[in-house]
Amino acid sequence: MKKFNFRKVLDGLTASSPGSGSSSSGNSGSGTGGGSIQSGGTAGVLREEIQETLTSDYFQICKTVRHGFPYQPTALAFDPVQKILAIGTRTGAIRILGRPGVDCYCQHESGAAVLQLQFLINEGALVSASSDETLHLWNLRQKRPAILHSLKFNRERITYCHLPFQSKWLYVGTERGNTHIVNIESFILSGYVIMWNKAIELSTKTHPGPVVHLSDSPRDEGKLLIGYENGTVVLWDLKSKRAELRVYYDEAIHSIDWHHEGKQFMCSHSDGSLTLWNLKSPSRPFQTTIPHGKSQRDGRKLESCKPILKAEYKTCRNSEPFIIFSGGLAYDKACRRPSLTIMHGKSITVLEMDHPIVEFLTLCETPYPNEFQEPYAVVVLLEKDLIVVDLTQSNFPIFENPYPMDIHESPVTCTAYFADCPPDLILVLYSIGVKHKKQGYSNKEWPVSGGTWNIGAQTYPEIIITGHADGSIKFWDASAITLQMLYKLKTSKVFEKQKIGDGKQTSEIVEEDPYAIQMIYWCPESRIFCVAGVSAYVIVYKFSRHEITTEIVSLEVRLQYDVEDIITPEPETIPPFPDPSSQLPSSKSLSGSTNTVASEGVTKDSIPCLSVKTRPVRMPPGYQAELVVQLVWVDGEPPQQITSLTVSSAYGIVAFGNCNGLAIVDFMQKTVLLSTGTIDLYRSSDPYQRQPRSPRKNKQFIAGMTELAESPVPLELERCKSPTSGFATRTPEAAPGFYRNELPAVRQRNQVHHLPDHVNGHCTSPTSQSCSSGKRLSSADVSKVNRWGPGRPPFRKAQSAACMEVSLPVTTEESRENSYNRSRSSSISSIDKESKEAITALYFMESFARKNDSTISPCLWVGTSLGMVLMISLNLPSTDEQRYTEPVLVSPSGTLLTLKGAVLTFSCMDRLGGLMHPPYEVWRDPNSLDDNEKGRKRKLVMNSPSTSQEMGDQQYAVVCSEKQAKVFSLPSQTCLYVHNITETSFILQADVVVMCNGACLACFCANGHIMIMSLPSLRPMLDVNYLPLTDMRIARTFCFTNEGQALYLVSPTEIQRLTYSQEMCDNLQDMLGELFTPVETPEAQNRGFLKGLFGGSGQTFDREELFGEASAGKASKSLAQHIPGSGGIEGVKGAAGGVMGDLARARIALDERGQRLGELEEKTAGMMTSAEAFSKHAHELMLKYKDKKWYQF
């Protein structure tokens, strides 16, 4: 009979599901929270005094805006009247851009790639053609564009679309060579079809290929030019339904463009040639050129070049025409970058691009194809950039791009988001950053200037900080849902440049990006800025308005701690270990540096990964390096990456930790205060039994592994992929006794699991290419494999937030009885497998260091990967003068709190429930020229808890781990509330934030849920399944901030911002820009009497009569399926956001009708005035010649 466990049933009732959690008061017990929780005597009193103001009505999840360059672009379109730009992508997204602030993102539900975009010029609509053979009509007369109609082709693939100006009939070319016609208003196919076999000559035996071009003649709208891939061009007469002329060329056609007079057209071909054809002599081109071709030896024919993918032929009234094309370069220059060629008269200008050209468009003054085009700019869409070239100046400068298209200039590795910053910060950062802007831009205004945008009600300052793989830091102004770069800081300037032959110790641990930013900490009030790099270093920066030249102070910290790894090698391959008497504890913990340089062949020890500049360095205004702290090699093994970082400007201390231990550094006195292994922080209260490793045993083990390494089977060492290359996989041929480093099916969290960049047991470099090295392992390499255990590289390389992929965690059944000390995550079954305890969270605060303390003191809260919370007491000198001379005393207080899962974040609240900001120093310029400011004492803001005459608890401590959140009452250390957030997943990001003058805990879970809990009661306020975690980029960059804001890197090039505030969701419509603004269509130029008589067809062309159902009939229902969209409903919602939608829509319609009537009335009045003047002049003329005879004239 199966054994029934009653305790498991109770635990199952109280445990939280992925979508909801359980809150327990101080008197309740929780099997998942670490045993029963007893409340202190004053806890109840403290709880009753708090009135929480936040309710679930305050919260709602909503995407706000997307910033950055559209990822993997495929298509481009421009409305020359509205002056807005649309970009389509391979993922089915469309970005519509106007003036700064007008930036709209919309997405096809199918996710199919966008093949082509076509604006309905000045109509507020857009047609998109997708790779799933579907046409969509988007309504742009609302702030959130929506699809009005869709038309899915069932039997043919769409290759090209063309919509004539001021026409409601869309020409659609297909892969079979047929041309269909779609009514834009009803989005239904016409029965009129141009079949490929009717278009070509009957004698032609081969298929002409797909349709690559469609355009109506500028001279006669009744003539349609059809270009086929194999080189055939047909001018089709729509009325007579026959081909008027045919053109044949022996090279494939890529693009065609008309001369504005409609008498000739230009084709670009696959051999790099351009051909000009005249309609009067279609037998052969009257001009053939290969712009980049070189004469062959016989001098007769130019050699072929690369294909010209697109060419545009634009005329000017007062100068030679412009011929602009992409591609066409000679084959002998294989290393040349992609280029755009501009031919104007006899001059040829080649503009080299940094990335391949996807598409380009020439912007012209007129939307009418039969007028002089007068081009003034070229929009060039590259794979990773968008540039606009000014054609009005002879040197063709580019316009300064007002959009944040360079977020991905170097791959983003981490992000930070700060809302409601000090108001002067943005102006200060901008004033410093504007001095370093690039020069040489066009002096004209950005030509994409359509739409309107208002700043809206949200006016508090917001700043986003991005860290990059090249060591750069970018500060962005994110106020009012816009994004503009303020200031750029290059952290790599602190270090010496790596020479090709040098830096071997760095290249062994970081393959490509030794300066990549891993963590960011910023205090906006004190302007202290701190970064942790992938090469195990920390840099502390101070802000100054003045330039200085000074030496950079650096410290080296030896932080290594050895404990027994749980490794089970093959018995026959490993020699026996030494006797137990030699296995003495080996704890290495040393501050400072011996600066021993290891020679070749000698074990590296006490050397850092990078070399700090020793000469005086000029530091421009802005952030200037105050101190560099580097971890050093220990016994031939590189330092582990930093996993947690915090700074206190009030205390003048920076603290950081990794999987080996904790380091605390005084950046005011430039000294190391503490450098110790994690186990030493416990002293005698360590709850785990850990077996120290013997040095002799380690050497014996290395020797045995070295013998294995000399076997004929090599071990392939994995390298890392680039940020755009998808998964990084391993295929090692593991020798017996080796651990195979494979990509596991579940998230490996056995050791340094808490790192945001360490999922799946391996890491990825942002820029290095995938390759394998077949070299055999040296003894040092084998030592690294031995030390880090299975699936763990010797050192995690620089990691791009854009390149990580993650397998979602798989739930495993764990023992409920030992859930506290065994459950690390859903993919580990025993705490015994934890060989190292990493420092995962740090927090400076004025708090109660020990249980039942009567006074507060400076403290450092320390959270570990095993769910332990330790408190370190800081004893600071009492005066400013002593602070620079007297030592700071640091000692563990003995306080130990426990949670389930790795600790992620801390926060403190006072007894009234107000969030307590960590103490900080008010900023003052350290290099000020003002003597008064130099002599001014440090001004500290301590934010101590409110004093009370009553005895009892005075403070709340909020602690959140991967699995649960707890609120402790201090100094009694009573656990008042515990909320088991998730059992089947784990939390990736957690932050305590302020919204509507109340504090709450915001969490993002690996299963995609965003959860908000009130504080201090931990009552669930919001739980939404927002975004399933599909790759590690989201996990590494997701961050919450105050006022209900959050963001993450949604693609390698784009930042997605969202809000969890109901108020902002309600006001979002007012904050978004308007894409469509009423603009009068420019009038066509008067062609003149003679030109109208002899320049083209004198008859008007009625497409409705030709393509309508009455004359053309109905199209086959099996050919295409009409799908109605939701654009009308969404438009009503966008206009009013509620029940007033119909009224708002009617009012808008009336306004537009009134505006049209007003325009009509003005035109009528003008015509009447003109008629009266004409009548008057005619009468005067009649009177003048009334009585004259015919011979008097």
Side-chain angles (χ1 to χ4, degrees), residues 821-824 828-834:
N821 59 354
R822 287 183 179 269
S823 172
R824 232 350 252 112
I828 184 171
S829 60
S830 174
I831 194 63
D832 298 334
K833 294 185 180 180
E834 286 288 347

Side-chain angles (χ1 to χ4, degrees), residues 428-429 431-433 435-436 475 487-489 527 541-548 619-625 923 925-927:
V428 168
L429 290 171
S431 64
I432 297 296
K435 300 175 183 177
H436 305 286
F475 292 78
Y487 172 69
K488 183 176 180 180
L489 172 66
R527 303 186 188 176
Y541 288 92
K542 286 188 175 181
F543 188 85
S544 176
R545 298 176 185 267
H546 304 281
E547 178 180 314
I548 60 168
M619 298 182 185
Y623 275 104
Q624 300 166 350
W923 177 78
D925 197 329
N927 307 314

Side-chain angles (χ1 to χ4, degrees), residues 561-597:
Y561 193 86
D562 290 346
V563 293
E564 178 64 34
D565 285 336
I566 307 301
I567 297 179
T568 312
E570 295 292 332
E572 64 273 13
T573 61
I574 304 301
F577 292 128
D579 59 320
S581 63
S582 66
Q583 299 184 17
L584 300 176
S586 174
S587 173
K588 302 169 191 160
S589 176
L590 181 65
S591 63
S593 169
T594 56
N595 206 23
T596 305
V597 180

